[in-house]
Amino acid sequence: MTLLVNLGLLLVAFAAFFLAVFGYFLVSQTFQARRRRGVLSKDAVMFLVAGCLFAVFTAGYIEIFEFAFRLPFSAPVDLGIGLLAVAAAAAGAYLLANRFEQHRLRLKARQ
């Protein structure tokens, strides 16, 4: 495959991993709550959400490194690219989830 195809697939894997981590951060309070309310209140729904997030997280993580190692660099450079992609996705998802939470709290305080 060409370099652009591998970079494109790496970007798709990065996006899938980012969305899985971001999704976890959005529903993590519901996972940890003693009493759940709303749409995600049933245990079966929570297991389904957790299972889907785990599957996308695992597949995205593996695919990031699979496509990083297809790049035309040495193995340590490819490993560094994969690690940077995973770290950037996790940090970006955490920051975005915190912004969502701050925005939600500001809207709640106005009411």
Side-chain angles (χ1 to χ4, degrees), residues 8-74:
L9 292 172
L10 178 63
L11 188 60
V12 169
F14 174 86
F17 184 76
F18 173 86
L19 290 174
V21 175
F22 180 66
Y24 170 77
F25 285 134
L26 288 181
V27 296
S28 64
Q29 290 178 348
T30 306
F31 284 150
Q32 298 168 7
R34 287 185 181 200
R35 297 184 80 193
R36 297 186 192 117
R37 298 173 190 210
V39 177
L40 300 176
S41 62
K42 304 287 185 199
D43 282 341
V45 174
M46 292 309 300
F47 279 120
L48 182 63
V49 169
C52 289
L53 286 174
F54 177 74
V56 173
F57 173 88
T58 304
Y61 185 84
I62 291 170
E63 292 300 316
I64 283 175
F65 285 101
E66 180 181 335
F67 293 117
F69 278 107
R70 288 185 184 179
L71 296 174
F73 305 112
S74 65

